[in-house]
Amino acid sequence: MTDPVFFAPSRRYTAGEVANLTGASLLDAAQAEIAIEGLAPANEGGDGALVFVDGKRNFALMQSLRAAAVLCPADVASKAPPGVAVLMHPRPQQAFAMVGRLLFPHAATPGPMTGETGISAHAFVDPSAHIEDGAIVEAGAVIGPGVSIGSGTVIAPHAVVGRSCQIGRDGFIGPGASIQYALVGNRVIIHGGARIGQDGFGFVGGAKGPERVPQIGRVIIQDDVEIGSNSTVDRGAMSDTIIGQGTKIDNLVQIAHNVRIGRNCIIAGLSGISGSVVVGDNVTMGGGVGLADHLTIGPGAKLAARSGFMNNVPAGEIWGGYPAQPMAEAMREIAMLRKMARTRKQGDGNG
């Protein structure tokens, strides 16, 4: 539930305002003044709440809604109970998220944790660092020599930014995160505990065991990237590790040295990307995906959760399974195995 102690709405919106802001169509113009003060899931709702209904399996919720207003597709709009303002939109969840950002702007973008402004007296900032006016460095943070931090960026408590790193404007480096050997763009969010720019996992066999290969590349994080808590991005061995503009990375993701990830990718938690993998633009990876080294994932590909990849994936294809293969083939194999198992079970029963 939305607790006003943590997230108070910026102001009250009317159903008519929401329609204008999102491009939704209000089913009944007489309901334009219905007040919206918060968000809720459709199965909970509540007074003053905006909810959304999308997907066939959720349409049954329409008739039992308890809410001020609902965003939904036009083909189910007539099923809403009387008194609920119906806002018809072809992409209800997208419109719902837009309203959420307006109602709760502080939830959409992390901010200072201590309420401090400027540079805390309890932070360590090397004299050679350049911190633009409007940046915030909170207590316990460490800013190394030659670092550059842009205006509007927040460095949270106990974050560490290593020597000569550059952090762009309007970003957020979460509590306990560490950044080294990295160039970070504008509006980048790096959540607490993330590790950026540490050694890649590079070793070569030696007479007495594995010997370290020096990792002398960088990490390049382009604008509008988000990296979740406790995720790691290793710096390149000799070339750079690159995270493309607009890409969103979940918690607990491992990205190895020399990986190049394109723009606007989605990478869900517990995924691991081995060294020198190239990921095209607009790729989606489900949770727990594993990629062997030196693979190429084509633009627009979709990788199913818990799949293991040992081959390149062509652009736009959907792959899954272990080992991963085109999803249609994987599903046919599963169906065949189930059929064989049933046949075997029936045969055992007849014996």
Side-chain angles (χ1 to χ4, degrees):
M1 63 177 291
T2 303
D3 188 336
V5 171
F6 297 116
F7 300 110
S10 58
R11 71 174 182 87
R12 176 183 296 180
Y13 285 84
T14 66
E17 287 178 310
V18 169
N20 290 333
L21 289 166
T22 62
S25 299
L26 191 59
L27 183 64
D28 183 354
Q31 296 178 317
E33 296 304 315
I34 287 180
I36 294 170
E37 300 176 330
L39 306 175
N43 62 341
E44 294 181 14
D47 294 339
L50 174 68
V51 303
F52 80 94
V53 171
D54 197 7
K56 291 182 178 179
R57 64 182 177 182
N58 295 319
F59 288 167
L61 295 170
M62 286 292 291
Q63 295 177 337
S64 58
L65 284 178
R66 292 189 314 106
V70 58
L71 282 156
C72 65
D75 57 353
V76 295
S78 62
K79 299 183 183 298
V84 176
V86 178
L87 297 152
M88 298 176 292
H89 196 282
R91 300 185 66 185
Q93 187 174 15
Q94 183 184 55
F96 184 81
M98 178 182 178
V99 177
R101 291 192 296 271
L102 294 170
L103 274 169
F104 303 104
H106 297 301
T109 303
M113 303 192 70
T114 62
E116 293 178 290
T117 59
I119 300 173
S120 171
H122 301 289
F124 172 82
V125 179
D126 188 272
S128 65
H130 174 67
I131 300 176
E132 289 186 346
D133 291 343
I136 296 173
V137 181
E138 297 193 85
V142 175
I143 308 299
V147 167
S148 174
I149 298 174
S151 176
T153 288
V154 175
I155 310 297
H158 301 289
V160 177
V161 182
R163 176 174 58 86
S164 300
C165 288
Q166 297 180 24
I167 312 293
R169 293 174 175 162
D170 299 316
F172 177 81
I173 310 301
S178 65
I179 300 176
Q180 51 188 324
Y181 308 104
L183 307 179
V184 179
N186 298 319
R187 299 174 301 280
V188 170
I189 296 173
I190 297 175
H191 287 281
R195 299 286 180 258
I196 310 297
Q198 60 285 332
D199 283 12
F201 193 67
F203 296 89
V204 63
K208 296 182 179 180
E211 297 178 354
R212 183 178 296 277
V213 176
Q215 307 288 293
I216 56 175
R218 306 171 297 179
V219 173
I220 310 295
I221 299 176
Q222 297 179 356
D223 294 347
D224 301 303
V225 167
E226 184 162 346
I227 298 175
S229 296
N230 297 319
S231 288
T232 62
V233 182
D234 295 343
R235 70 177 182 265
M238 286 176 283
S239 58
D240 295 327
T241 301
I242 300 173
I243 312 296
Q245 182 175 356
T247 284
K248 313 301 182 187
I249 298 170
D250 198 359
N251 304 329
L252 297 168
V253 171
Q254 156 67 12
I255 297 173
H257 58 193
N258 306 332
V259 168
R260 288 186 289 151
I261 296 175
R263 296 170 294 180
N264 300 318
C265 295
I266 298 288
I267 302 175
L270 298 175
S271 293
I273 303 178
S274 299
S276 301
V277 167
V278 177
V279 178
D281 296 343
N282 302 302
V283 168
T284 300
M285 297 186 196
V289 163
L291 297 173
D293 58 284
H294 292 85
L295 296 182
T296 297
I297 309 300
K302 292 180 170 56
L303 313 186
R306 305 300 296 172
S307 299
F309 289 79
M310 290 174 274
N311 294 293
N312 297 334
V313 178
E317 293 196 4
I318 302 173
W319 280 41
Y322 192 89
Q325 58 186 315
M327 186 59 77
E329 295 179 21
M331 297 306 291
R332 278 196 296 269
E333 288 187 4
I334 291 171
M336 185 177 295
L337 287 170
R338 287 177 177 171
K339 183 177 180 180
M340 291 171 63
R342 285 196 298 268
T343 302
R344 175 69 179 270
K345 186 176 181 179
Q346 291 169 358
D348 291 344
N350 293 333

